[in-house]
Structures are given as structure tokens and as C-alpha cells.
Amino acid sequence: MTTPDAARGWDEFLSESSERLYELLEHYRRLGKKLFLQSDLWDEFLRFCEHDGREGLSSSPLGRGVRVCVEAVLDDHWFYVAVRPSVARWRYLRFDMDRHRHEHIAGTDFLRCKERLVNGRAHDGAWLLEVDFGPFNREFPRMQEERSIGRGVEFLNRRLSSQLFQELGKGDRYLLDFLRIHQYRDLQLMLNERIATVEDLRSALRDAQEYLGDRKADETWDDVAAGMKRRGFEVGWGRDVARMRATLTQLSDILEAPEPATLERFLGRVPMIFSIVILSPHGYFGQANVLGLPDTGGQVVYILDQVRALEKEMRRRLSEQGLDIEPKILVVTRLIPDAGATTCAQRLESIDGTSSARILRVPFRDDAGAVVPHWISRFDVWPYLERFAADAEIEIKAELDARPDLIIGNYSDGNLVATLLAERLKVTQCNIAHALEKTKYLYSDLYWKNSDEQYHFACQFTADLIAMNAADFIIASTYQEIAGRRDTVGQYESYSAFTMPGLYRVAKGIDLFDPKFNIVSPGAEAETYFPYTDTARRLADRHEEIRRIVYSAEFPEARGQLKDTHKPLLFTMARLDRIKNIAGFVEWYANDSALRSVANVLVVAGHVDAAKSADAEERAEIEKMHALMDAHGLDGQVRWVGARLDKALAGELYRWIADRRGVFVQPAVFEAFGLTVVEAMICGLPTFATRYGGPLEIIEDGVSGFHIDPNHGAETAAKLGAFLQRCREEPGYWERLSAGAVERIRARYTWELYAERLMTLSRIYAFWKFTTNLERDETRRYLDLLYGLQFRPLARAARRA
């Protein structure tokens, strides 16, 4: 579908459709609403088209114009519209419905209109803080094409390498200085004091290449160390002569004629990452008995798998460069004295499957400095994070006996702590949002006051703005997480401009074309999640346990006992909260008699007993599930299990269901990535997953799974029924989808690919931070003001609440 350009195209369609346009605006006005979402505008437009003489209007220029309207506000006789003609590009207009004229306006004018809607026109002239990061980035390299979003490091390498190395040897000198700074403890790496100038480096490179040319390829650093040191080189160029030659050649090529790809390969070899700190403060972070506890789910699995992959990749790179150094990774989280059956009261915990990675737990403290013993919701952690960061800094230095080489934040709270630590320690900072609450809760910014006592969105959104702009680079799992799609606003994009009436408005919060954004998708842990056809690795000894979970009336926390055990299973597994939409899926199934006749449902989610949950939202979903099962008589067709499955059992459960030709359903209203989708697919389960978020990119519709719309449950239920029907009628169809799922994950979503990319990114951004103004000192001063004058008072108020 062609969309009109914001300025020229809109003027064209307005001139063609003026009469119909103002008829449509009057239609909107008669509804008596003041605020319109994209779906409101389109649905009412379709109703408008149903009247006599308006056939075909939906495909007209007017229809195409309405398609790209994201939001609208009715303000007296003015109709304000936010238009998004393409990904990450916004324009704003207002229409005078009395005089039939329109004009283009600034984004801040649209925000002010929304503020009047909330505060009333009497506040129109009230002064409000306006946050604008735009001026700080005017001279900074910026991408232009939407297809480049999320490929920041590629852009930086192309743009900066050509720019830097063309400035009369400036880049050569920076590169020399960069290589000279690398040390591990007291061990000098790469270059010694014999090489002081670029000419020294060029000469030494020629000499070293000639020297190594006469040595055997499999000789080690110890064999050639004396000769290399005399020429100015220290350990770090390679474990054997063959790799040393290759690394030296790459550096020679860069000095001769720099190319982005060569620079990336060379920087990927420079030993500079020996220790990493990963921040994840909220929830219960542990390796057992934590999944399903409040605020505890996929992020724990993600980080633990990430750590295992990163340690393996760090060790590989260090070994290849000739360094026998054990990498260190600390996952810094919160210590919870009242931790129940978990290890979250334990200060240090070794991470299974690693050699030296550990979980380091630091407690929250109250104003008097006393340890807070109990769990605190992720919405209420904000008053504790500054003290937590200061305490964590002391603990980290003690454990590592040095500062880390890279800090990675997770979620809004972890990213804020990463910001505080990275600034103090002068360390490269990487942020991973996983999910941003702002897009989950409708009008959470505009009506923030209504829910601030419960959710403290003012703290969270302010923390997000600070951390996003402070990070050296940001990892997203999918393109959509950053910039959405043609018809959906991205999570990060929602921070580009918004208002919190009475607090501040954001004229320019984050620039999606900033090269700090990179897409690095996680995967499924290969030892646990593998295809059902790999029979040699199957856990047959756990099948009886699985049958008990799925079928037994004696299982302690379950509801429902399946009557016809020969039906295929529609399997779903997630936290039991509103966004995951498990109850919604059960309702779709309950209302489709045809689907109920051919399939059973297996739900592994939350608790079955609401009294066992400490989370209000989960308790509400538990009660909703019970009500659905009672109202529709589902106990013979739906099995709801409240158990927390260990990873090995979960992996075998996917495969066990695949043996019986079942499917996996992920019905979330929105899913930032979709780790369970990846797990199910690599195990060979055909997967039906939400089209809102990461699964849209993970799944190739009809090839490796299917997209579903959680807003159209009846349609999804019919789609599931049609799939099962086709599987019965067409031999090999289920197997074809299963194989497509496995192939898709193996090609794109593995932890090996993830770790390799993240380690490369950390080196490249460290280099550009050293050689350019990527530190953005002016932005940092602005962020300090925002933190001190906005976030800290908000956090103090949240503590009092």
C-alpha cells in the first residue's frame, strides 16, 4: 500500500478529497469523543464509508491518508492529527472544521493540545518543562533510511572510518593510541614503548611480518615472544604464528586503505573485554524455584543463557589471541533476605554451566540504611536504585579487583543502574530493554497521574529517557522493538515525543536514526532446546513425569482433567498476567465449538490457587481463568498447570507435545521478543504467535509458523482449527511446518550468533568512543540535570507513596 508523504502527499490528497474529508471530521465530532487512537479513526472511517455514495472510499487517497493517522484530538472546532507516513517519520496537522482549512504544526503543538485535553483550557498558558535532546545530536553522524535502523555499527564503521582516516593521518594516530592503552592487570598487551609514532608502527609491522614469515605456522607466542617484543609487539596478536600474521595483515591493510569490514574484523580480535557486569535488579534472580514468581520470567532465562554464551565467546577470543586469561562475568541483582525456597538470600552464587561467572546479590536499603528484607515490585524499586548502585560499585570492585570492561543493563531499572555505574567507572555501557512499559499500558504517559501511585510511570519513563540517551549502544531483539512497523509504533519510537501533563513534555526524547541502536537477537539454549527428531538426546526418563503433569488427577497444583487424551494439544506457557493474554486464549478456545471438538488445551502458567500469588495482576488473571473454566465447562478439555518447570523438563515437554502433533500458541497482546516462541520452534512445534512484537519477525507466516492477531480471537481459533484439519487431510503438512520452524531458528536465532555479535559491538563502540566524541559530554550534563532535578524528586515521592 502506498502511503502519502507527510507534507506534499497530504496536500495532494487534501485537495482531492477536501469535501469528503470534512464530512468525515464531522462524523468524528458527532461521536462525542475527544481522543482517538489509530483503530478508532480507521473503524469509524469504515462506518462512514458504509453510507450511500461512499463505496470505494476506503481505497481512495482519503482512505490512504486515514491509514497513516496514528492519533487525533478534538479541541473545540480544531481536529489535531499525528501522522506517521512511514516508519519513524512523523508529521502533525490540525484542521479547522468550521472554516474548512488546515495547517501543518510542530509536534510540540500537538502535545500541548493533548495537555489541554487533560488539564483543561485554563492551563493552556501554564509553563511546563520541555525536554529536547535534539540539539545535542546536530553534529553527530545520523542515518537517514528506515532500513538502516538497528544497524548502527555498520553505519558507524562506514561513516567514521572513511572520515577519520582521511584527516591527514588522524585516524592512524588514534588507532595507535588505542592499541597502546590495552592492559590486563600489570600485563601490557598489543604494543610496548618501542612504538611511539605511526611511522614506528608501520615500520614495525613490516619487520614483524617478515620475521614471522620465516617461522612455522603452528609456533606459539612463547616461541616468538622475544623477537616480537624487540620489534615493539606484546602478547595479544594471536595464539600461533598463523593467527599473528593474519592480525598484523589486517592492521597493515587498515593503515594502507581502511575498509569498514577489515576494521571490524581487526577490532574483534583486540583483547579488551576481560570482565563484564550485567545488571538485573528487579524480581527474583536465581537458577531454581524462581520462574513464575512476581516480576520473574523470561529475563532470568535470557540472562543466564546470555552469560553462558558470552563466557564461552570471551574465552574463545582470548585463547585465539594467545591469552590464558579466565574471563569474569558478574550478574548483579538484588539480595532478598525473605527469599523463600530460592537462593535469592545468598550473596554469591556460581552460575551452572560456566567456569567463573557468578550472581552477586546486593540488598536494597531504606533511608536509615537498613536492609529491606522483602520482595518489592518492579514498579516500586525506583527509590532504592541510587543507593543500590553505590553499594553495588563497592561489591563489584571487591569481586573483580578492578573495574569491569563492559556494563550491560537489563530492563528500565537495570539500565538506570548501569547508567550510574558506567558514568562513575568510565566504562562502555550497553542497554537491553527487553520490554518498555510505556507501550503496554494505554495512555500511560498522558494520564500518568491516574496510575502513578500504583505504577510510578513518572519515575520509569524518566529513567528510560536518561538511560537511553546515556548508553553507548543499545541492543534490541527485533527491528519492531525499535521502530515498529508501517502500522505499529515501536517501543523505543514511543519515546521520541510524548507528554506527561503537569510534569514535562518531551519534544525529542530519542532518535531512532542514532547509530547506537543494533539488532542482536537471542536464541534458545542448544543443550536444552533441540528438535524432537533428535531421539538420541531425548529425555525419555522424564516422560512419566510429563504424563503426570498433563494427565494425572493427583498432580498437586492443576485444574482440569483431559477426557480424550488422543486429541492434539494446543500448548501455551507464560507468566499469568494481562499482557501475556493466557486467559484470552482460553476464552477464544471456549467460544469455538469446532476447535474444542478436535483439540485439547494445555496451559502452564502462574498459580492455580490465587492465595499463593503475591501479585495483584496475577491474582486477577487466576480468578478470570477459573471463571472461564466454570462458565464454559472446560475441565474435560483444558488442563491448567501451576507448576514451575525446570528448563530440561520444559524442553522435553515441547518435544513430547510435538510427538503427538500438537502446536504451541503464544497469544500475547504484545511480546517484545518471544523466547518461548524460539524454544518451541527449535523443538519442532508448529507455532502460532502474536503479530504484535518480536514473533512477527521470528516467524515466516505459513512457512515456519503462523502470525495471529490477539485482538481477533475468533479468527485465531478458526485458524488453529483449519491448521489441524489440514494436518489430518494432507500427509506431511505438520512435518513441513515443523521442519520450517527448526530451520528458521538455526539460521537466525542462536546464542552463539548473539555472543559473537555482542562481543564485536562492544569492541567497536569502545574504539569509536575513544577516537570520537561518542561520550557526548554535553548530553551527559543535560542528563545529570534531568536526573537530579526530575528523577530524584520523583523517586523520593515514590518512596513516600
Side-chain angles (χ1 to χ4, degrees):
M1 182 181 70
T2 303
T3 56
D5 177 74
R8 181 182 57 79
W10 265 78
D11 287 335
E12 286 181 2
F13 101 74
L14 287 171
S15 64
E16 295 175 19
S17 315
S18 178
E19 181 179 348
R20 288 294 195 206
L21 169 64
Y22 286 97
E23 287 180 13
L24 174 61
L25 296 183
E26 286 298 333
H27 174 82
Y28 289 141
R29 178 152 63 173
R30 286 193 296 271
L31 296 173
K33 297 180 60 169
K34 295 293 184 181
L35 191 60
F36 296 80
L37 292 171
Q38 187 174 34
S39 57
D40 299 326
L41 293 167
W42 182 250
D43 291 346
E44 287 301 328
F45 173 66
L46 293 179
R47 293 187 182 94
F48 174 79
C49 293
E50 291 173 357
H51 292 293
D52 294 341
R54 296 173 185 163
E55 297 84 358
L57 202 56
S58 61
S59 59
S60 70
L62 177 59
R64 293 196 296 272
V66 175
R67 270 290 192 192
V68 295
C69 293
V70 175
E71 192 177 12
V73 182
L74 179 62
D75 184 21
D76 194 21
H77 63 285
W78 290 100
F79 199 77
Y80 287 75
V81 181
V83 180
R84 185 175 177 265
S86 62
V87 168
R89 303 188 190 279
W90 292 74
R91 298 293 186 271
Y92 303 89
L93 301 94
R94 69 173 187 171
F95 299 86
D96 186 334
M97 291 185 290
D98 292 344
R99 296 180 178 84
H100 286 206
R101 61 185 179 87
H102 75 276
E103 60 187 357
H104 295 273
I105 60 174
T108 51
D109 292 332
F110 184 79
L111 296 178
R112 288 189 182 95
C113 173
K114 294 173 73 174
E115 291 158 11
R116 290 195 296 272
L117 174 69
V118 174
N119 295 328
R121 298 192 65 84
H123 294 267
D124 190 32
W127 185 90
L128 189 69
L129 172 66
E130 190 165 287
V131 178
D132 187 355
F133 288 96
F136 298 103
N137 298 318
R138 284 174 180 161
E139 304 302 320
F140 195 78
R142 182 179 182 274
M143 300 177 292
Q144 299 296 322
E145 302 299 327
E146 63 185 64
R147 67 176 180 274
S148 298
I149 292 172
R151 298 163 60 187
V153 78
E154 299 174 31
F155 170 81
L156 271 183
N157 278 347
R158 289 195 307 269
R159 178 72 175 267
L160 295 184
S161 60
S162 59
Q163 176 181 315
L164 195 64
F165 287 91
Q166 288 175 6
E167 294 183 17
L168 299 176
K170 182 178 178 181
D172 298 346
R173 181 70 215 187
Y174 275 135
L175 185 55
L176 169 61
D177 292 341
F178 183 70
L179 292 176
R180 286 164 57 90
I181 66 172
H182 293 297
Q183 291 181 323
Y184 177 75
R185 313 279 177 160
D186 295 326
L187 177 65
Q188 180 63 38
L189 305 174
M190 304 305 288
L191 301 178
N192 60 39
E193 71 282 351
R194 292 176 180 271
I195 298 177
T197 68
V198 174
E199 284 308 310
D200 290 343
L201 178 60
R202 290 178 183 273
S203 176
L205 280 171
R206 290 191 291 268
D207 193 13
Q209 287 172 306
E210 183 177 346
Y211 168 67
L212 294 178
D214 296 329
R215 309 299 296 238
K216 295 179 181 178
D218 60 354
E219 287 188 88
T220 67
W221 171 259
D222 290 340
D223 297 322
V224 300
M228 291 294 285
K229 289 187 178 202
R230 287 197 303 271
R231 292 165 172 81
F233 297 95
E234 295 291 336
V235 66
W237 292 91
R239 175 160 291 278
D240 55 34
V241 166
R243 190 166 181 86
M244 291 179 224
R245 290 173 187 160
T247 307
L248 290 168
T249 298
Q250 287 175 355
L251 179 56
S252 296
D253 290 344
I254 292 168
L255 293 174
E256 183 69 20
E259 293 183 354
T262 306
L263 181 63
E264 179 172 321
R265 287 195 298 272
F266 174 74
L267 291 175
R269 294 188 174 200
V270 176
M272 64 177 92
I273 306 294
F274 308 101
S275 63
I276 299 175
V277 165
I278 300 174
L279 278 305
S280 183
H282 78 250
Y284 291 81
F285 197 101
Q287 300 179 86
N289 302 322
V290 299
L291 296 183
L293 292 176
D295 294 340
T296 308
Q299 87 273 17
V300 173
V301 177
Y302 179 110
I303 293 171
L304 291 174
D305 286 345
Q306 174 197 52
V307 166
R308 295 183 186 100
L310 287 176
E311 186 189 72
K312 184 177 179 181
E313 178 66 13
M314 291 168 71
R315 186 177 294 108
R316 180 188 70 81
R317 292 193 184 212
L318 290 171
S319 176
E320 287 181 348
Q321 294 312 114
L323 296 168
D324 294 318
I325 295 172
E326 181 63 26
K328 293 185 177 180
I329 301 178
L330 285 179
V331 177
V332 181
T333 187
R334 185 194 162 200
L335 185 143
I336 306 173
D338 297 343
T342 76
T343 57
C344 295
Q346 182 179 322
R347 178 180 175 271
L348 274 177
E349 181 182 353
S350 295
I351 295 177
D352 296 340
T354 71
S355 297
S356 58
R358 290 168 294 173
I359 301 168
L360 170 64
R361 298 187 178 92
V362 179
F364 285 173
R365 296 182 183 274
D366 62 21
D367 288 335
V371 171
V372 178
H374 52 273
W375 165 83
I376 294 174
S377 164
R378 72 184 187 277
F379 296 115
D380 299 323
V381 299
W382 308 106
Y384 303 94
L385 295 182
E386 184 173 314
R387 175 67 178 268
F388 175 83
D391 292 345
E393 180 183 354
I394 296 170
E395 299 276 3
I396 289 165
K397 288 179 177 177
E399 290 302 320
L400 297 179
D401 197 26
R403 68 177 186 176
D405 301 302
L406 174 67
I407 290 177
I408 302 174
N410 291 274
Y411 278 95
S412 298
D413 50 354
N415 287 330
L416 182 69
V417 175
T419 298
L420 298 174
L421 286 172
E423 181 178 14
R424 288 178 58 86
L425 298 173
K426 306 304 178 187
V427 174
T428 301
Q429 175 189 349
C430 168
N431 284 3
I432 306 175
H434 297 281
L436 294 164
E437 304 286 350
K438 189 168 177 295
T439 52
K440 288 184 180 181
Y441 296 84
L442 187 61
Y443 299 133
S444 54
D445 50 0
L446 190 61
Y447 294 106
W448 67 276
K449 290 182 181 179
N450 297 349
S451 57
D452 207 51
E453 183 177 351
Q454 179 180 1
Y455 292 119
H456 301 300
F457 286 139
C459 284
Q460 182 158 359
F461 300 165
T462 307
D464 286 336
L465 277 177
I466 292 168
M468 289 174 191
N469 285 281
D472 294 302
F473 65 104
I474 295 173
I475 293 299
S477 297
T478 64
Y479 180 93
Q480 291 181 79
E481 186 179 339
I482 307 170
R485 301 176 300 153
R486 287 278 179 180
D487 58 349
T488 307
V489 176
Q491 290 187 66
Y492 280 99
E493 188 179 8
S494 72
Y495 284 81
S496 59
F498 66 95
T499 183
M500 302 180 77
L503 188 62
Y504 58 79
R505 79 174 63 93
V506 178
K508 190 69 174 180
I510 189 70
D511 185 356
L512 304 191
F513 293 93
D514 190 312
K516 70 170 57 182
F517 285 103
N518 293 273
I519 299 168
V520 185
S521 301
E525 198 268 299
E527 295 301 314
T528 302
Y529 302 102
F530 53 86
Y532 76 100
T533 53
D534 191 351
T535 54
R537 300 169 64 195
R538 295 287 299 271
L539 308 180
D541 59 326
R542 305 204 71 172
H543 285 192
E544 185 56 40
E545 183 180 0
I546 289 173
R547 278 189 284 269
R548 182 168 171 262
I549 289 170
V550 178
Y551 298 132
S552 175
E554 306 303 320
F555 193 77
E557 188 164 348
R559 176 169 178 181
Q561 188 168 11
L562 304 179
K563 291 180 179 179
D564 185 349
T565 59
H566 295 95
K567 291 180 183 178
L569 289 168
L570 308 178
F571 175 41
T572 189
M573 180 168 60
R575 292 192 316 274
L576 199 57
D577 62 26
R578 183 180 62 82
I579 295 298
K580 295 298 184 182
N581 197 33
I582 300 298
F585 164 56
V586 172
E587 188 171 12
W588 307 340
Y589 173 82
N591 290 324
D592 191 307
S593 58
L595 183 59
R596 291 175 65 171
S597 70
V598 297
N600 292 323
V601 168
L602 173 63
V603 173
V604 177
H607 293 279
V608 175
D609 182 357
K612 293 184 178 180
S613 174
D615 185 87
E617 188 171 306
E618 183 182 47
R619 287 196 298 271
E621 291 298 304
I622 291 170
E623 291 167 1
K624 185 176 180 181
M625 284 282 289
H626 284 298
L628 283 168
M629 294 188 73
D630 290 340
H632 296 276
L634 296 176
D635 283 289
Q637 296 172 300
V638 174
R639 174 72 162 181
W640 172 21
V641 178
R644 302 185 188 100
L645 308 184
D646 63 70
K647 285 176 59 177
L649 182 60
E652 191 59 28
L653 178 58
Y654 286 124
R655 292 185 287 271
W656 188 88
I657 293 170
D659 290 336
R660 288 149 182 80
R661 298 304 184 259
V663 301
F664 184 74
V665 182
Q666 206 273 29
V669 175
F670 178 85
E671 182 62 58
F673 178 63
L675 200 52
T676 55
V677 171
V678 173
E679 292 169 355
M681 290 173 67
I682 193 62
C683 289
L685 266 182
T687 298
F688 290 69
T690 180
R691 65 191 292 267
Y692 296 112
L696 188 73
E697 293 179 35
I698 297 171
I699 292 173
E700 300 165 290
D701 191 51
V703 177
S704 56
F706 299 92
H707 301 146
I708 61 175
D709 189 336
N711 299 311
H712 296 90
E715 179 182 301
T716 298
K719 195 171 186 178
L720 283 162
F723 172 77
L724 294 174
Q725 179 67 26
R726 184 172 176 183
C727 289
R728 287 195 300 273
E729 297 174 350
E730 184 178 326
Y733 181 61
W734 187 97
E735 287 78 6
R736 188 159 70 249
L737 265 294
S738 172
V742 172
E743 183 180 347
R744 176 69 171 174
I745 301 307
R746 282 178 169 168
R748 298 281 296 274
Y749 301 97
T750 71
W751 281 113
E752 289 78 13
L753 292 172
Y754 175 99
E756 190 281 330
R757 193 60 185 155
L758 182 52
M759 284 294 92
T760 297
L761 289 173
S762 63
R763 287 161 168 78
I764 294 171
Y765 279 95
F767 174 69
W768 291 122
K769 185 174 181 177
F770 178 84
T771 58
T772 69
N773 188 31
L774 280 192
E775 293 199 49
R776 312 183 195 198
D777 293 334
E778 299 84 358
T779 305
R780 174 63 69 178
R781 300 285 75 79
Y782 193 60
L783 291 171
D784 288 345
L785 285 172
L786 189 59
Y787 180 86
L789 300 179
Q790 280 288 354
F791 177 80
R792 294 187 85 200
L794 289 169
R796 285 194 295 269
R799 187 190 292 270
R800 290 192 297 271

